[in-house]
């Protein structure tokens, strides 16, 4: 058994070409043609040609994330009746189908029947699709209209991400009352009802005990991970035995995710830290969060569901492994004597600059520029002054001037806040603690801070400008997107 990652989920699309075949030759307000074009034989011939062109377009236009089922060719007549025998041709694939992709001429009537009879999503390509989508949406049916096949491909990729979100099952570790992130989404039933996200809860002791009870094969896996991390690091400031301890936690989480058929993870920090058990066993959760995200598995600090959902969205929309962290704006114009976030050093690059925000946590990833891309250079640093608690570190100074996109869900789960910034400097690459960070410039720091106060302080972020894509995705999810 393996973890069913959301990033690996494909959208099952049933392509259908619909063609109207006139039974007799005539002209009028529903038809303008002449000569041979008025014959039934011409309609049959042209329909078959267009269906072949349709199949070629499917092969050349659509993403590999889209699983195209066998295309169907359906016809109807100028009696404007879409017969049941044609509808029944779709039934063999109906269980597997996520959405019907429909193309053709004057297809409004058959599409309406397909939607109302089968009650599955329909996506309509081309002219006058708005007539059909407006009618179906007013009846509470799910319908999408696409300008052309390129537009359809873009939206089907978003619908694939929606399916991935709908198939999220979060393994939530509990310890006492979760207070690490007060602004976390409290009403998980709403999140389940709105987005299909499920939650599986286990006690912290169950996970922590398992770390100490790994079998020989699992311990060897942790040792292999440790060796690979040390071998490929630019710098390593830690004793390997402490990296091994953190790797054991990662192996344990993977084991628990498989056992409970989950594909996302979060765990509280403060509540478990105060038990002093981590101090005794010498590991933190940071490395596991980084490694899980690199595999496309959403994982968040401090039991924060809001940022976990943001990580989930960003992984699926961008195929990149996000960083997440405490986020705080600096004064409108930064001065060198201004206080900075605890543990994050002041850097000269931000002196005198306006609209600066910082985000910092010890959970960057080596796949922030693409899960399928080459590994970014990294260092290994301990979380504690005592030398334990393995964390990955990256120097964001390498990427000055690059655009980034930040995201967080609202505490109600009904909104997302998306922010665009430009990297000004990095900090904390060699610092002990939860201090690996990035300084970036936003459009208006006062506007950002005002909105942040409504959403909370943990943000996930990736390289690139994904604001418009997130807006489109918000429309599909039925979630309002606020920007700053």
């Amino acid at each position: 058994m393996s973890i069913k990652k959301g990033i690996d989920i494909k959208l099952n699309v049933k392509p259908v070409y619909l063609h109207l075949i006139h039974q007799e030759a005539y002209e009028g307000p529903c038809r303008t043609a002449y000569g041979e074009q008025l014959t039934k034989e011409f309609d049959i011939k042209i329909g078959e040609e267009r269906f072949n062109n349709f199949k070629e377009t499917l092969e050349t236009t659509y993403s590999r994330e889209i699983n195209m089922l066998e295309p169907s060719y359906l016809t109807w007549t100028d009696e404007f009746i879409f017969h049941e025998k044609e509808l029944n041709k779709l039934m063999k694939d109906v269980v597997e189908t996520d959405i019907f992709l429909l193309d053709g001429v004057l297809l409004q009537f058959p599409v309406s029947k397909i939607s109302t009879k089968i009650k599955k999503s329909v996506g309509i390509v081309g002219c006058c699709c708005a007539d059909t989508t407006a009618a179906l949406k007013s009846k509470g049916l799910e319908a999408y209209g696409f300008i052309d096949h390129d537009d359809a491909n873009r939206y089907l990729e978003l619908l694939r991400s929606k399916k991935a979100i709908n198939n999220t099952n979060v393994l939530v570790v509990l310890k006492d009352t979760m207070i690490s992130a007060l602004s976390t989404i409290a009403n998980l039933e709403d999140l389940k009802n709105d987005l299909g996200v499920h939650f599986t809860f286990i006690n912290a002791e169950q996970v922590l005990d398992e770390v100490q009870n790994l079998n020989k094969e699992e311990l060897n896996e942790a040792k292999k991970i440790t060796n690979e991390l040390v071998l490929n690091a630019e710098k390593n400031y830690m004793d390997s035995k402490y990296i091994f301890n953190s790797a054991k936690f990662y192996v344990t989480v993977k084991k628990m995710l498989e056992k409970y058929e989950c594909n996302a993870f979060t765990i509280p920090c403060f509540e478990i830290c105060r038990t002093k058990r981590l101090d005794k066993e010498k590991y933190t959760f940071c490395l596991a969060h980084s490694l899980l995200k690199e595999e496309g598995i959403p994982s968040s600090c401090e039991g924060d569901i809001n940022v976990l959902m943001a990580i989930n969205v960003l992984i699926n929309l961008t195929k990149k492994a996000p960083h997440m962290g405490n986020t705080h704006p600096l004064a409108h114009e930064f001065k060198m004597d201004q206080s900075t976030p605890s543990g994050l050093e002041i850097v000269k690059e931000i002196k005198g600059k306006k609209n600066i925000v910082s985000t910092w946590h010890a959970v960057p990833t080596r796949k922030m520029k693409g899960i399928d891309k080459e590994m970014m250079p990294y260092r290994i640093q301990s979380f504690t002054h005592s030398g334990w608690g393995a964390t990955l570190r990256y120097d964001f100074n390498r990427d000055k001037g690059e655009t980034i996109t930040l995201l967080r869900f609202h505490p109600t789960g009904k909104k997302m806040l998306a922010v665009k910034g430009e990297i000004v400097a990095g900090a904390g690459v060699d610092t002990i603690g939860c201090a690996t960070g990035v300084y970036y410039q936003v459009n208006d720091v006062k506007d950002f801070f005002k909105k942040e106060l409504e959403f909370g302080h943990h943000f996930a972020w990736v390289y690139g400008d994904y604001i418009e894509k997130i807006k489109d995705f918000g429309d599909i999810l039925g979630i309002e997107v606020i920007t700053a």
Side-chain angles (χ1 to χ4, degrees), residues 175-179 205 268-279 285:
K175 179 61 181 175
D176 304 328
T177 302
M178 288 179 116
I179 59 169
E205 288 75 17
C269 298
F270 303 160
E271 296 85 343
I272 296 176
C273 179
R274 70 179 180 83
T275 68
K276 304 180 184 64
R277 182 163 176 175
L278 297 180
D279 181 61
F285 311 137

Side-chain angles (χ1 to χ4, degrees), residues 226-412:
T226 300
N227 292 339
E228 289 177 350
L229 286 169
V230 173
L231 178 65
N232 293 309
E234 278 188 325
K235 293 182 181 180
N236 173 32
Y237 301 102
M238 293 185 66
D239 189 315
S240 291
K241 69 180 180 181
Y242 292 133
I243 302 173
F244 176 63
N245 288 346
S246 292
K248 286 197 299 179
F249 178 75
Y250 162 71
V251 170
T252 300
V253 173
K254 290 284 295 290
K255 181 178 179 179
M256 304 300 274
L257 288 170
E258 287 193 30
K259 177 179 179 180
Y260 291 102
E261 298 185 355
C262 293
N263 56 9
F265 177 72
T266 190
I267 186 169
C269 298
F270 303 160
E271 296 85 343
I272 296 176
C273 179
R274 70 179 180 83
T275 68
K276 304 180 184 64
R277 182 163 176 175
L278 297 180
D279 181 61
K280 178 181 178 182
E281 297 173 9
K282 308 301 182 190
Y283 67 90
T284 58
F285 311 137
C286 313
L287 180 65
H289 290 310
S290 294
L291 296 182
L292 289 169
K293 289 182 293 183
E294 290 180 357
E295 295 182 55
I297 299 172
S299 186
S300 70
C301 311
E302 301 180 36
D304 191 340
I305 302 297
N306 309 44
V307 78
L308 181 76
M309 288 301 302
I311 291 169
N312 199 1
V313 168
L314 290 176
I315 285 176
N316 280 288
L317 288 187
T318 73
K319 303 300 182 293
K320 297 174 181 178
H323 185 214
M324 69 151 283
N326 299 337
T327 299
H328 189 68
L330 308 182
H332 191 65
E333 182 174 346
F334 186 78
K335 300 176 182 179
M336 292 303 285
D337 60 352
Q338 181 183 330
S339 62
T340 58
S342 176
L344 196 61
E345 76 255 32
I346 299 171
V347 293
K348 66 180 184 301
E349 288 89 345
I350 63 175
K351 182 181 180 181
K353 285 190 167 59
K354 297 181 179 180
N355 300 312
I356 300 296
V357 180
S358 63
T359 295
W360 73 101
H361 252 191
V363 288
T365 76
R366 301 165 297 174
K367 295 286 189 175
M368 291 185 66
K369 296 185 179 180
I371 291 173
D372 62 347
K373 297 293 191 296
E374 284 190 20
M375 193 177 295
M376 296 160 63
Y378 67 97
R379 304 175 189 181
I380 304 172
Q381 176 62 281
S382 66
F383 192 93
T384 68
H385 289 281
S386 301
W388 54 268
T391 68
L392 301 181
R393 305 283 170 147
Y394 176 74
D395 185 2
F396 294 110
N397 283 302
R398 297 173 186 262
D399 300 322
K400 294 174 185 177
E402 289 208 29
T403 298
I404 64 173
T405 300
L406 299 99
L407 190 67
R408 179 171 176 79
F409 271 64
H410 191 268
T412 62

